[in-house]
């Protein structure tokens, strides 16, 4: 289990530092993979992670020059990744060359989400404007992929929050919601036959769309989907998140490897539900997700290094994957930010 002194450190710090994130980044972007704590530079960068990094830095209370440099690097990467036609590159080599064709996969949706959040929340007006321009460019496209569209909905809702007259954001949000199937099976109220990865993005999208459109039915769908997701992924009072191979009907017991992105996306959706006024139970869900990172999980091991703000790559039956890649680190950082917000709210 997580050591007591380490737990106290995490609880006192609340928001994890950006130290490891900075060490995983250079002037071009955020390296995707790590060998323990060392970036695997040969694998290069991806928009998928850079977009997540942009959201984390925008949401951070860190006002240091390092945080400002990270924000500029991640925003510049995101701007460059999105082509004039709105499609997006995902993979950049360590030499600064795109190695893939433009596409509309998850990375496109996460970029739209990050750009929408940045356009709505960044402190610097010039950063907000740049993010809005890139958002408008990407938002002309539509993806055939469920999670890409769900992510795009979240970005569109962020833009509508600051500009309710944006037709680009409104059309994207409406089209994105239409791409989320509604289950007709009361015993499996989920839009897919199996839980896969990053599942919290789907109820999150329904919740923000319901709020943006004043559509109570969408809100009810979002809350029902999130309730089901948490129920299925709770075991003996702690999160027991879906393993790398997914979870379907009748799949009982703990699964491995458990990915931090799943706990992080549950925290994102629950924090959204709490912020929108749907009850204290969702604050408790955020706390349960944070507890998963602290070691209240199926293996009883901490999934973070609180001293540097690193996240470990996967929960295994007897421990953890000791590599500290970008995706896992960003999931831990974002969840710690939700915990900070809960703490700030209590002190108001």
């Amino acid at each position: 289990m997580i050591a007591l002194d380490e737990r106290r450190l995490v609880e006192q710090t609340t928001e994890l530092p950006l130290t490891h994130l900075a060490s995983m980044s250079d002037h071009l972007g955020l390296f995707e993979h790590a060998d323990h704590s060392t970036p695997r530079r040969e694998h290069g960068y991806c928009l998928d992670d850079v977009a997540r990094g942009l959201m984390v830095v925008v949401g951070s209370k860190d006002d240091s020059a390092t945080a400002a440099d990270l924000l500029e690097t991640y925003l510049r990467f995101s701007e460059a990744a999105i082509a004039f036609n709105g499609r997006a590159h995902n993979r950049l080599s360590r030499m600064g060359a795109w190695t893939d064709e433009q596409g509309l996969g998850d990375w496109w949706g996460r970029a739209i989400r990050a750009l929408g959040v940045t356009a709505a929340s960044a402190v610097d007006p010039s950063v907000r404007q740049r993010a809005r321009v890139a958002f408008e460019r990407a938002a002309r496209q539509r993806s055939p992929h469920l999670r890409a569209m769900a992510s795009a909905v979240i970005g569109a809702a962020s833009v509508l929050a600051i500009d309710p007259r944006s037709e680009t954001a409104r059309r994207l949000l409406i089209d994105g919601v239409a791409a989320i199937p509604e289950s007709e099976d009361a015993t499996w109220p989920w839009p897919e036959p199996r839980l896969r990865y990053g599942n919290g993005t789907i109820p999150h999208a329904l919740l923000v769309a319901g709020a943006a459109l004043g559509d109570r039915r969408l809100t009810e769908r979002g809350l029902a989907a999130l309730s089901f997701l948490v129920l299925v992924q709770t075991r003996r009072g702690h999160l027991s998140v879906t393993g790398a191979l997914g979870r379907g009907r009748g799949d009982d017991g703990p699964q491995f490897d458990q990915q931090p992105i799943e706990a992080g996306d549950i925290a994102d959706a629950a924090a959204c539900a709490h912020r929108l006024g749907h009850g204290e139970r969702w604050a408790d869900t955020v706390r349960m997700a944070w507890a998963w990172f602290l070691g209240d999980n199926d293996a009883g091991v901490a999934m973070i290094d609180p001293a540097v703000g690193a996240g470990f790559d996967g929960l295994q039956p007897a421990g953890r994957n000791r590599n500290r890649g970008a995706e896992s680190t960003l999931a831990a950082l974002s969840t710690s930010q939700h915990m900070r917000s809960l703490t700030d709210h209590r002190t108001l």
Side-chain angles (χ1 to χ4, degrees), residues 130-206:
R130 287 167 58 192
R132 180 67 181 271
V133 169
F135 168 89
E136 295 284 340
R137 190 161 71 245
R140 297 197 300 259
Q141 288 283 356
R142 300 292 182 268
S143 173
H145 305 294
L146 173 59
R147 279 163 183 72
M149 288 300 285
S151 293
V153 165
I154 299 170
S158 296
V159 170
L160 285 172
I162 59 165
D163 183 7
R165 296 174 298 178
S166 172
E167 282 303 312
T168 301
R170 185 170 295 273
R171 287 195 299 269
L172 176 58
L173 185 144
I174 291 171
D175 290 346
V177 168
I180 302 176
E182 186 169 3
S183 173
E184 297 181 356
D185 185 346
T187 65
W188 188 261
W190 190 254
E192 301 168 303
R194 292 179 64 81
L195 298 180
R196 296 171 61 210
Y197 62 93
N199 295 292
T201 303
I202 295 170
H204 191 169
L206 292 168

Side-chain angles (χ1 to χ4, degrees), residues 173 177 204-219 276:
L173 185 144
V177 168
H204 191 169
L206 292 168
L207 288 169
V208 296
L213 300 174
D215 188 328
R216 185 173 178 179
R217 174 61 180 149
L218 286 177
T219 297
L276 292 175

Side-chain angles (χ1 to χ4, degrees), residues 91-113:
R91 300 200 170 276
L92 188 75
S93 75
R94 63 179 300 186
M95 303 305 295
W98 297 112
T99 61
D100 63 344
E101 298 296 325
Q102 303 156 4
L104 298 169
D106 285 357
W107 59 91
W108 168 87
R110 289 201 178 98
I112 288 182
R113 176 177 174 177

Side-chain angles (χ1 to χ4, degrees), residues 213-231:
L213 300 174
D215 188 328
R216 185 173 178 179
R217 174 61 180 149
L218 286 177
T219 297
E220 290 173 348
R221 283 180 60 193
L223 290 172
L226 184 55
S227 296
F228 172 75
L229 188 62
V230 174
L231 176 65

Side-chain angles (χ1 to χ4, degrees), residues 12 27 32-33 42 44 81 109 120 134 146 173 184 223 225 228 255 284-286 323 329-330:
Q12 290 168 2
H27 68 288
E32 182 178 8
H33 298 298
E42 68 273 18
L146 173 59
L173 185 144
E184 297 181 356
L223 290 172
F228 172 75
Q255 296 182 320
D284 291 339
T285 301
V286 174
N323 294 330
T329 292
L330 291 164

